[in-house]
Amino acid sequence: MRSKTIVLFSVFAAAALIATEPVLFPLLKSTVSLGKQPGGFYLLPTNQLLRPWGEQTLIKGRPVDVAMDSRKHLLAVLNWRGVLLVDAASGAEVGEVRSRATSYIGIAFRPGDREVWASETSANGPDNILILKLSETGAVEDIERIKLDGHAVPCGIAFSADGNTAYVALSLKDSVAVIDAKEKQVKRLIPVGTAPFGVAAARQSRRVFVSNRGGRHAEAHDSVAPSSGQAIVSDPATGSSATGTVSVINLESGKLSDVAVGLAPSVMALSPDESILAVANAHSDSISLIDTRTLASKELKIPAYPATTVGSLPDAVVFSSDGRRMYVACGGNNAIAVVERHESDWKLEGSVPAGWFPSSIALDQDGALRVVNIKGTGNTATGVTPGHFRSTAYEGSLLKIPAPLPSQIESGTREVEAANSPKFESSGGIANLASLGIEHVFFIVKENRTYDQVLGDLPQANGDPKLVMYGRDISPNHHALAEKYVLLDNFYTGGAISFDGHQWLMQAFVSDYVERAFAASPRGYAWNMADALTVSPLGMFWQSATKPLDVRIYGEFCLPAKWDAARQKAVDITESEELSWTSYWNLYKEAKWQNAVGSVSGVPALQPYMDARYPDDSVNIPDQIRAEELLRELTEFEKTGKLPNLLVITLNNDHTNGTKPGSPTPRAMVADDDLALGRIVEAVSKSRFWAKSLILAVEDDAQDGFDHVDGHRTVALAIGPMIRRAVVDSNHYNQTSLVRTITEIFGIPQRTQFLANARAMHSIFTNERDLSTYQTLTPKIVLDEMNPPLKALSGRPLWAARQSLAMNWAKPDDINQAVLNRILWWDSKGYDKPYPSSGKR
């Protein structure tokens, strides 16, 4: 998708920036839909409201970083697939250079303002420094690349005062590349800490500062967790990174020093006199202030809302020109925090509203803030066909906010707090969920469907039957369960794809590290949190429990393995060692699958909770095998009378393999998922535990299709004796609402701000217990209906099959989503039917 400026408009400049009284938000209707509201503000799928201050320019893509030239004439924005050049005065786009994919961070003007350097990477390399050579007026005259050895993952970039040397953090090399900027050659690598991220160069003292996202290197006594093949010092209980450091390189002496800072240090800034280095610590909700002379450090908290929770996610910082003020981008708060100097101390003065997930700040010649927001306003409209939304229709933004006065900061702080704590009309239902006596929650996570794709054919709710792809014949159990219990037609995902979707469901938290990675996920697509850098500092939502909670995990967080019956444990296998779908299917039919599947946790701290005999999340493994293993354990629980409190279960074949020859058709894979769900519900409903059980099933995201309400709207089911029957519930809920519901049932404290501000799903419950059981329905599609071979195809079906064969199905979503969406649409609707973004149906 071309990255360009879409529109420039004044959101709140005139009124809000001179207001002395807060302009807050109305009480939201309980059935409010996601997106733009009548008052001009936005409701986000993270339980937040959004009304950015200043002038906002919308940018197609996921912009992550910004730099300004020394004359304050030109802005360079690091977008997800290139670099965008913007006139600082007018906000107009003046140039764009496309790239395969860019990095988490890394864009800078070389002194002299005739070159822009940007970090360019991909999932597996090769990686480069992209150099834009500019005319005196800022036009791009030429493009050059410095090739980096291997898959280095370049990140932050800084220059020496004379512009002759560039310093680039290489995340996967644990080093800083020293590059001759004239010769365009890497001269040497300087070792630093783990996963270096941001770079700042002190021109007076000839020192280079590097923030190490993964902290110090592991020692023999440390607990460690993986991150792209590296060992990260980690919390033994949560698996999250446990240290953060800044490496200080003395260029004259060659001496290297390390300063301990908060967790997940990211962007840094030097004060104008270079006496202070400010470091944004995303996972500590703080900034570290380092005295550059003594290297003494102190920490200043940047709170979330409420202040007792985690999630402000400070991820960038910049000093004002006089050095008396700092601005901190708080991705979790959707705000810019203002910190001011009071003699020798620094104080947080408050915040002003930004866009959705600010990640970088530059200051213009008037001191106004230029803020990059990764997700803009949350718009998921496809931009072509009215009424069609898709979660991967990415749109970020660039804000211009005049330097706020004290009264404006006071007003802005009240607005930011209100925006992070929206108030809804009562949804009704049962307020005290703990009183229901539910002791067991089956939490089932599935893959990638929108509401309209599956349930849009139900006339009693808000669906669009024209967008249905997997209706009642294919998903009879989804339909029957939605009709038997509550039909939720106003339920949304928190994220866009599996990378953030699973993390919202398991953590009620998504790191800036993940939000920045959508271009290429260059350190790995850790949808399963098998990367310590993605894990919340609090761990998973249930780890906040203050009383014992028995948890069992089936498939979530998993890596490929197979069960070794002789050793009674799962052993690692590579993805290449996994069998074909047909092989697993035959083993299932012959009841010989038990030693061919298994899983180990990608988060080592969670291994004790795993069912190692449950299959990993390969889409080559039928969901019937997953159902078989879960029901095997349920039978064992029946014998002992002891069932875990929380069972986290993945059923992922509704993801499909596209039209890949040798795999089942997409509709057969969705039917497989549907049948597995029905079998699990039936077994639980006929078990001794049914009276005190609740089953919650939800998609991890809604990326593989269209919806007529919003790209985040998805399928969610609530099933159990205490769930209302045969009703449509249009109350506004989302993934964190579902997690909040579980925490209220078990009395788990809500420790992230997103969870604390989520609406529990009180309205779906009733005090009238109904113990009637469920009988599985069989889809009308045979589960081994196979995609035809290439030789049987021509035209568009042949193109679709070849595209599907070329995709990497071993990892969820490591594929071209735009291509897959077209394949699934045409496979369902007919290859002669126009794809919705064409403007026709």
Side-chain angles (χ1 to χ4, degrees):
M1 181 180 292
R2 185 171 185 268
S3 173
K4 62 180 182 178
T5 299
I6 302 300
V7 67
L8 183 68
F9 62 97
S10 176
V11 177
F12 210 46
L17 292 180
I18 61 172
T20 57
E21 294 299 323
V23 179
L24 303 181
F25 302 93
L27 184 69
L28 298 174
K29 290 186 177 298
S30 189
T31 56
V32 63
S33 293
L34 205 65
K36 192 170 185 178
Q37 305 301 311
F41 60 91
Y42 299 82
L43 174 61
L44 303 178
T46 52
N47 313 303
Q48 295 169 300
L49 303 179
L50 190 75
R51 181 164 49 201
W53 280 15
E55 296 174 342
Q56 181 165 229
T57 304
L58 301 177
I59 300 171
K60 287 297 181 185
R62 302 259 308 193
V64 295
D65 201 1
V66 66
M68 183 171 278
D69 71 347
S70 64
R71 297 174 296 174
K72 309 295 185 182
H73 290 169
L74 193 64
L75 287 162
V77 177
L78 188 70
N79 202 2
W80 72 327
R81 304 207 188 280
V83 174
L84 186 68
L85 298 175
V86 177
D87 181 83
S90 67
E93 176 186 329
V94 297
E96 182 187 22
V97 173
R98 299 296 301 275
S99 166
R100 180 182 175 190
T102 59
S103 190
Y104 304 94
I105 180 181
I107 193 161
F109 282 87
R110 181 183 172 193
D113 297 332
R114 298 296 291 272
E115 290 181 0
V116 174
W117 287 39
S119 290
E120 185 178 50
T121 184
S122 61
N124 301 299
D127 301 335
N128 310 290
I129 300 300
L130 173 66
I131 301 173
L132 282 57
K133 296 189 174 183
L134 308 179
S135 70
E136 182 64 28
T137 61
V140 178
E141 292 186 326
D142 196 11
I143 299 170
E144 191 173 353
R145 284 178 168 86
I146 301 173
K147 294 183 178 179
L148 302 172
D149 289 340
H151 186 32
V153 184
C155 288
I157 301 171
F159 286 94
S160 59
D162 59 11
N164 291 334
T165 306
Y167 307 98
V168 180
L170 302 181
S171 181
L172 273 179
K173 297 283 190 180
D174 287 351
S175 62
V176 170
V178 180
I179 301 177
D180 186 311
K182 289 184 176 180
E183 297 180 8
K184 306 296 191 289
Q185 291 184 352
V186 177
K187 293 300 184 180
R188 62 185 174 122
L189 300 181
I190 301 175
V192 290
T194 305
F197 192 81
V199 183
R203 301 181 178 187
Q204 299 170 14
S205 63
R206 285 187 47 76
R207 287 185 294 178
V208 174
F209 302 89
V210 184
S211 61
N212 299 305
R213 186 87 190 190
R216 63 174 174 81
H217 290 286
E219 299 174 357
H221 63 277
D222 289 319
S223 294
V224 297
S227 174
S228 196
Q230 296 178 303
I232 305 293
V233 180
S234 67
D235 184 296
T238 66
S240 176
S241 61
T243 68
T245 62
V246 169
S247 293
V248 184
I249 304 167
N250 189 314
L251 296 173
E252 293 183 348
S253 69
K255 182 181 178 182
L256 180 71
S257 304
D258 283 328
V259 180
V261 293
L263 300 178
S266 52
V267 175
M268 304 177 295
L270 280 163
S271 61
D273 64 1
E274 299 187 349
S275 65
I276 297 172
L277 178 74
V279 186
N281 304 313
H283 285 194
S284 287
D285 286 0
S286 70
I287 54 173
S288 291
L289 302 173
I290 300 174
D291 184 316
T292 58
R293 182 179 61 85
T294 66
L295 299 186
S297 176
K298 58 183 177 181
E299 196 170 26
L300 178 66
K301 283 292 185 180
I302 310 291
Y305 298 93
T308 55
T309 62
V310 165
S312 66
L313 288 167
D315 57 4
V317 59
V318 68
F319 281 90
S320 61
S321 59
D322 62 6
R324 300 196 60 81
R325 179 180 276 188
M326 281 184 286
Y327 297 105
V328 184
C330 298
N333 289 349
N334 302 328
I336 305 300
V338 183
V339 178
E340 291 192 349
R341 188 168 194 161
H342 296 268
E343 296 181 352
S344 61
D345 206 2
W346 291 86
K347 177 185 175 184
L348 174 64
E349 298 295 332
S351 300
V352 296
W356 191 5
F357 219 98
S359 63
S360 186
I361 317 171
L363 299 182
D364 67 17
Q365 59 187 357
D366 298 321
L369 287 70
R370 302 301 180 92
V371 181
V372 160
N373 306 287
I374 295 177
K375 298 194 282 188
T377 62
N379 177 31
T380 60
T382 58
V384 178
T385 308
H388 287 158
F389 299 85
R390 190 176 64 239
S391 69
T392 52
Y394 299 131
E395 185 176 78
S397 70
L398 178 65
L399 277 178
K400 178 181 179 180
I401 306 175
L405 300 172
S407 61
Q408 296 160 352
I409 296 170
E410 183 180 352
S411 174
T413 302
R414 288 193 287 264
E415 183 162 339
V416 169
E417 182 172 7
N420 280 279
S421 309
K423 306 300 180 186
F424 292 83
E425 295 174 348
S426 172
S427 64
I430 307 299
N432 182 4
L433 297 184
S435 69
L436 295 173
I438 296 171
E439 296 180 1
H440 314 290
V441 175
F442 294 77
F443 188 10
I444 301 173
V445 182
K446 305 187 317 86
E447 292 281 336
N448 297 22
R449 303 272 71 88
T450 69
Y451 176 93
D452 275 340
Q453 276 186 302
V454 180
L455 300 178
D457 55 353
L458 291 174
Q460 64 269 44
N462 182 16
D464 185 345
K466 294 182 292 298
L467 297 177
V468 174
M469 294 164 62
Y470 308 111
R472 192 182 294 270
D473 287 353
I474 300 168
S475 59
N477 291 290
H478 283 74
H479 283 73
L481 290 166
E483 292 177 317
K484 179 180 175 70
Y485 295 97
V486 289
L487 174 53
L488 299 164
D489 67 349
N490 198 18
F491 185 99
Y492 303 90
T493 65
I497 60 177
S498 292
F499 199 3
D500 55 347
H502 282 268
Q503 297 187 41
W504 280 118
L505 289 169
M506 296 298 110
Q507 303 181 140
F509 175 96
V510 174
S511 172
D512 66 303
Y513 169 84
V514 173
E515 299 290 7
R516 292 175 182 271
F518 271 49
S521 305
R523 285 183 61 97
Y525 188 73
W527 60 276
N528 54 8
M529 284 146 280
D531 181 344
L533 302 186
T534 70
V535 178
S536 162
L538 299 174
M540 307 309 140
F541 72 86
W542 62 82
Q543 293 184 298
S544 295
T546 54
K547 57 185 179 181
L549 192 69
D550 190 7
V551 178
R552 188 71 165 159
I553 299 171
Y554 301 86
E556 191 68 65
F557 316 106
C558 64
L559 298 173
K562 63 180 181 180
W563 180 252
D564 186 326
R567 291 190 285 172
Q568 288 291 291
K569 64 179 291 186
V571 295
D572 290 315
I573 62 173
T574 64
E575 291 165 355
S576 63
E577 293 178 89
E578 293 191 319
L579 307 178
S580 67
W581 185 92
T582 300
S583 296
Y584 284 119
W585 180 248
N586 288 335
L587 288 171
Y588 165 68
K589 290 192 297 182
E590 297 167 5
K592 296 178 180 179
W593 54 269
Q594 290 82 354
N595 294 332
V597 300
S599 58
V600 295
S601 179
V603 184
L606 300 180
Q607 185 62 45
Y609 308 101
M610 303 288 292
D611 173 8
R613 298 175 66 169
Y614 195 86
D616 74 87
D617 279 346
S618 168
V619 284
N620 275 351
I621 302 173
D623 275 342
Q624 298 313 302
I625 292 180
R626 296 185 173 91
E628 286 289 325
E629 171 55 21
L630 182 66
L631 299 189
R632 183 197 66 80
E633 280 228 332
L634 183 60
T635 299
E636 294 300 314
F637 296 138
E638 285 268 24
K639 293 176 183 177
T640 64
K642 295 180 179 180
L643 178 70
N645 303 113
L646 177 63
L647 301 90
V648 180
I649 304 158
T650 58
L651 293 177
N652 62 314
N653 266 19
D654 58 337
H655 181 285
T656 84
N657 274 329
T659 57
K660 176 184 174 182
S663 289
T665 62
R667 65 180 187 171
M669 296 189 77
V670 174
D672 176 26
D673 176 89
D674 177 81
L675 181 60
L677 175 66
R679 292 179 62 200
I680 291 170
V681 173
E682 178 180 347
V684 175
S685 75
K686 294 178 179 178
S687 75
R688 64 193 294 180
F689 308 110
W690 178 232
K692 296 183 178 181
S693 291
L694 170 67
I695 302 171
L696 298 170
V698 67
E699 304 291 321
D700 75 309
D701 62 63
Q703 68 178 300
D704 280 351
F706 290 94
D707 191 271
H708 83 282
V709 173
D710 188 273
H712 296 95
R713 196 170 70 133
T714 195
V715 177
L717 301 170
I719 303 151
M722 308 302 289
I723 297 297
R724 296 168 65 201
R725 302 300 170 114
V727 295
V728 175
D729 189 326
S730 297
N731 285 294
H732 178 96
Y733 294 130
N734 55 32
Q735 288 178 330
T736 43
S737 297
L738 190 151
V739 178
R740 173 67 185 253
T741 302
I742 298 173
T743 65
E744 289 196 9
I745 288 170
F746 292 128
I748 303 171
Q750 295 88 30
R751 294 181 61 195
T752 73
Q753 72 165 334
F754 312 104
L755 195 50
N757 294 318
R759 301 180 81 194
M761 300 169 68
H762 295 146
S763 64
I764 68 175
F765 292 96
T766 176
N767 279 317
E768 298 178 4
R769 194 181 305 270
D770 183 339
L771 294 176
S772 60
T773 61
Y774 180 74
Q775 186 66 42
T776 305
L777 301 177
T778 301
K780 294 183 179 180
I781 306 300
V782 294
L783 305 190
D784 58 353
E785 177 187 74
M786 305 301 286
N787 288 317
L790 292 178
K791 64 182 181 181
L793 301 171
S794 62
R796 189 175 276 174
L798 178 60
W799 167 87
R802 284 174 171 166
Q803 292 290 326
S804 297
L805 272 173
M807 293 178 181
N808 178 18
W809 300 100
K811 297 178 181 178
D813 311 333
D814 189 12
I815 50 183
N816 186 320
Q817 213 62 48
V819 172
L820 177 59
N821 283 354
R822 284 168 168 80
I823 291 171
L824 295 179
W825 173 267
W826 284 321
D827 175 76
S828 169
K829 298 293 188 179
Y831 283 92
D832 60 337
K833 301 297 182 184
Y835 185 65
S837 63
S838 67
K840 302 176 183 178
R841 294 190 195 172

